[in-house]
Every structure is written in structure tokens, then in C-alpha cells.
Amino acid sequence: MWFKKTPIFLAMLMLVTACASKRIDPTTKPSGAESESSEPDDPAGTIIGNPAPQPGKLKITAPDGRTRYLIEILANGEAEATLVNASGDNVEKVKGNFSRISSAASLSSLSLEAEVTVADAQRFEMTILFSDGSELHIVLTTDENSSITGIAVEVNDVEVMAQVEFTEEDGEVRQITLLIEDRPRVCLSLFDTISTAAEEAYEQGMENLSQGLIRDAKESFEQAITESPRLAEAHFGLALTQLMLLPETPAGLGIQDGFGQERFTIDDFFGPGSWLEDMNEWRRNGSVGERPGRERFPWSDTSEEFNLGQLFALAQNGYTTEEFQEGLRGIRSELDTVIDHLEAARLCNDFEFTVPGQLFYSSRSIPVNWTDLTLLTAGQYSTQFGLSLFNGWRFDVDLGSLFDEEGDQEISNMALVDQMNNFFRLRDSSEFTTARQQLLTSLQLILEALEAMPTAPAFGVIEDSPAVEAGLDQILRIAQAAQDSFGGVVTLPGTLPVITVDLSSLFSSPPTLESIGIEPFVLEDGEIHLVEAFFTTMIDRFSTGISDGEIGSFRLLNLMTPEFIRNLFDEVNGMRLSEGI
């Protein structure tokens, strides 16, 4: 998908001090004036007589200290703009003109440092287009004597962070201060011109990614960011490869080992000799012969229907839920880094990335735009929320002692019930504080993405249809209601039966055995049964309506229709992994 948000001013550049300019009394008559009734000539140098900003030089510097543009303001508003590359060389000079903006109303958003009233202030703007495609837009604010009192700089319709010096004709230098946001902007085409080294590293990363060489791609993206820290596409590429490499992290390997699995690496799925390549070769040969198996994947020896007993049967003796949760905390830490890079990429409003179809042995690639990126970021926060919530309780179970190698239960039902009833012992209340913020952030990003969902044909845009519009509207309303529930009880829209939620209570007083006063499992006639009252009471602590309906009776109106699903995921609709290319 492609989406370009309405440009938002991100930084307003203002003068710390305005140099006092000599003011000429506009009522002074020139020599030879004939009568008092004659209109006085406008004195030279004022806005009235000379509708142009004061001559001088502007040096616009990036946050890392490198000069990016040199602007020389000449007489009568003429100017010359010089583009400076990363090595400090002047690579191009373009001429332009400052033109006066007559609307004083537009000044209401400016906070002028000098004591200049809106009635007296004037604005001038100039747009310069360089041969590399970058567009520089400068807005100057002056008083009635042409003295510059404020300045704003935009590159490609987005205001950039910069440091600015203004040198007057007499050589005096005035510093211009910045009001900047917390983080630097990132984009391939914005303030920083991508260095040759960064461009080469990024292109190599994309080549490695297309070939399924995920570790090599990760290293290349890291190198590109080292060379050009604000390169959005490299940040996304790095986040993508980090997600793909999660099974190879110490936390991922520890979980695999604990559950008695052969170590899975990314090479088993992507790249030369992988399962995807075997599948592609099999399809290329007309799907003749034995279909490639999944023996190299974790838990491939379990039945097609997921069986918890088979899963635990493979766990090493002594591998406890405590160790498993420690591994999940490691995964959560890895996701912190992934989120950092996704958030860096999100600062580029015009973000665009294409996941190469060659990676999946598919002829169809996956376009990613700013909206997709924001939803992916929301997903990572949501995953962290789940991990934090899960780690808020203590389970105290030796997973390796529950079942034998055949998946048969090794301990008695009574002993198993006793262990299962240890659930919901609080471990750390701070985990719930963390989980609350992660869920809130996820909901905020979902709302932000849905409100910016593209609706016109463009880069990978979803199909616009009544079903899609209705579905997206309902998701938006559900997400808004869930966010509102942190402040009290709200009703989720479009649900049958009607469900009300109060998520604030989930985090302020999380359900535990002690607070509910009922054990969740009992042994009846030798069989383990759920205690309905326990789970009803637990759910009713933060939601009502769920326990009033029968299992399977819940539905979301206007959502999950075949048309909605097909059009929402139009980017990958029809994609076939390992299609035999």
C-alpha cells in the first residue's frame, strides 16, 4: 500500500534574538518635496519600498553538524541556494526568488521571538528544486524594516530539523534556535542525502533478502544505518530480519532446547537448501514425487491436530514454566529492538518498502506503506502486551514431568490438578503496569493506522468496497472503545451478544486464586474438569456479556466476511509460496 499523510510541521525554526535594524522615519520628506499634502516617498530598505527580505546568508545544518544548504539572499528578493553533499562539497547551485505572502492570517501559527505584531510582520517564501529531486522550501518572517524575525525550512513538503545561521551584509552572525521533536526524522529522500556507502549497503541488503540470506541481509541493513542513521527503509529491513531471526536468539534457542526440539534456524525455511526451495523445485517439476516434508521444523513429529500432551512429552525433565517464562522475557527484549527500528521508520510519512517475492519463491512481491508499517508496529506492542501479561503470574510446573515420550500422562490426575491449581499466583505487579502501557500503545497505533488507511488506487492499496469500509469502520470503533475502557466501562460496538469491558480493572486488580476464592480445576469421577464459576468470575472482573452467551455464539457484525478478508489483504491475495518459478 502507498499512503502519504498530510504534511505536518515537525519543527519551527526561530531567531533567539532579532538584531536591531536602523529604522527610518517613514514621514521624513525627501529633499525637494513640494508641499505638505504630497505623499511621502517610501524609504529605501522598508517592506513598503522594497518588498523583499533583508540581504544576507543562511547556512542550514543537519542535526549531526553537517552543512546541507547555503542560501545567499540578494537584493530585491533574489537568492542562490547551494546543495552540499555528505563530504562537504558544493554539488549544485540553483537560483530562486523570495515572493511575499500577503495573508497575515497564516502568521497565527508562528511564535515570533522579536517583538513584532502580526499586523507589522510579513512573510516571504521561496521554493528551490534540485536535480536530485529534492525540493527545498523556505519561509521567512520579517518586520516592517525587512529584518528577519523567523524562519521555517521544509524539504519535500516536510519541515526538517536543522540549525540555521543568518549572516547579515555587515558580517554579523545571528543564531537561529530550534524547537525540535525528540527523535530525528528518517527518510531516504529527506534532509540527508544518502551516502554512497549507505546506498550500496542498503541495496546489498535487499539483494540478500531476495535470496533468503537473512543473516547477511541483517548485517547489510545495519551497515546502511551506520552510514545514514535516518534511512527509513534500512530501519524497516533490519526490523524485518530481526523478526525472522528470533528463533536463533539465545531466548529462542533456549525455548527450543527446553522443549526437546532440534534447533531450528532461518536457513531451514529461507534461502538455498531450504524447505521453500525444496517446495519450489517440487512444483517446478510438476509436483511429481514425494512432497517435501517438514521434519526440520519444531514439533514436526506431533500429530496434525495440536496435542498439548505431545508437546509436553518432548520437554526435558526439569524444564519448568519458570524457565519458559524467562525465555519469553528474552523474546520480549528482542522485540524492544525491533520496535525501535519500526518506530524510526514510521517517522517517514512517505514510507514505502517492497518485500521481494523472490524471498518466498513467488512472482508476487509484498508492498508495504506507512499504514502497513504502523499496523505491524502495533502488532509488536500487542505481542509484548501478551508476554508481559503472561509473565505477571507464576505457574510453578515442571513441564518435563507431566507426560512420557508417547504423550501419556505420567503423574496422577490428582497431582496434576494440584499443579494446575497453582495458576494465577502473582509474580510481579510491575508486569501489569508494563502490559497496560503496551496495550494502550498498540490500540493508539491501530487507531492511527486505520484513520490513515488509503482509499485511492495507489501503491498496493486495498480495494475500496462497502464491505471493506464497513469492516474497517467497525475495527476502528472497537479499538476506540477498548482504548476508552481504560477510563471505565464501555460497550464494544457491533457484537452479539452485547459485551461490555473495563480493561482498567484488569491491570489495577488482576484476577488471582486468592482474589477469586475458587480453584479453577477439580477432579470428578477421575476426570479433570474446569470450574465454570472460577472462569466466569475471572472474566466478569473486566468484562460482562461473554459468560452470558453459549460457546460459539459470539460474532462481530459487518466483520470477517469473505469479501472483507479478500480485499483487506489484497496485497498478498493470490500469492503462492514456492510456486515453481
Side-chain angles (χ1 to χ4, degrees), residues 229-476:
R230 286 169 289 276
L231 181 51
E233 291 79 356
H235 279 286
F236 180 82
L238 180 54
L240 180 63
T241 53
Q242 286 175 329
L243 281 173
M244 297 166 75
L245 290 168
L246 278 178
E248 297 186 14
T249 62
L253 292 175
I255 292 174
Q256 293 183 66
D257 293 343
F259 281 103
Q261 299 299 300
E262 292 291 332
R263 287 190 168 185
F264 169 83
T265 69
I266 201 64
D267 298 331
D268 290 316
F269 193 77
F270 293 107
S274 66
W275 179 79
L276 279 177
E277 185 182 60
D278 292 343
M279 284 292 296
N280 189 65
E281 186 65 23
W282 180 68
R283 288 202 170 104
R284 184 186 299 166
N285 293 329
S287 303
V288 176
E290 186 176 355
R291 180 189 180 101
R294 302 180 181 179
E295 294 80 9
R296 65 181 81 191
F297 300 141
W299 295 287
S300 59
D301 51 355
T302 60
S303 61
E304 290 295 327
E305 182 178 349
F306 181 76
N307 186 305
L308 192 62
Q310 289 180 315
L311 175 67
F312 288 156
L314 300 173
Q316 296 178 353
N317 287 333
Y319 185 63
T320 65
T321 50
E322 288 289 301
E323 293 175 286
F324 176 50
Q325 288 177 291
E326 182 63 32
L328 293 181
R329 283 191 288 274
I331 296 294
R332 187 177 62 184
S333 296
E334 295 289 343
L335 290 179
D336 284 336
T337 304
V338 171
I339 287 174
D340 285 343
H341 290 294
L342 291 176
E343 290 285 17
R346 276 197 344 110
L347 293 174
C348 175
N349 294 332
D350 294 337
F351 177 82
E352 180 180 316
F353 189 95
T354 301
V355 181
Q358 187 179 349
L359 170 66
F360 309 101
Y361 294 91
S362 173
S363 59
R364 183 164 182 170
S365 297
I366 303 176
V368 181
N369 78 338
W370 187 89
T371 303
D372 302 315
L373 170 60
T374 300
L375 289 174
L376 178 61
T377 309
Q380 305 315 305
Y381 279 110
S382 180
T383 300
Q384 287 202 320
F385 155 71
L387 295 176
S388 297
L389 199 64
F390 180 72
N391 277 319
W393 285 286
R394 185 185 303 278
F395 296 94
D396 297 327
V397 175
D398 181 353
L399 299 175
S401 67
L402 301 181
F403 299 89
D404 61 22
E405 295 181 356
E406 283 72 38
D408 296 325
Q409 188 175 309
E410 282 194 303
I411 63 176
S412 68
N413 279 350
M414 180 60 72
L416 183 57
V417 165
D418 288 340
Q419 290 200 39
M420 293 172 69
N421 280 335
N422 283 325
F423 287 5
F424 301 108
R425 299 283 194 260
L426 280 180
R427 174 201 301 277
D428 185 358
S429 60
S430 67
E431 291 282 1
F432 297 99
T433 302
T434 302
R436 180 182 186 278
Q437 185 56 51
Q438 289 162 340
L439 179 57
L440 267 174
T441 303
S442 177
L443 290 171
Q444 289 166 357
L445 290 176
I446 290 173
L447 290 171
E448 190 176 348
L450 291 177
E451 289 171 351
M453 187 70 76
T455 56
F459 183 72
V461 70
I462 63 173
E463 295 180 23
D464 190 11
S465 70
V468 171
E469 184 177 354
L472 291 178
D473 178 69
Q474 185 176 345
I475 293 176
L476 184 65

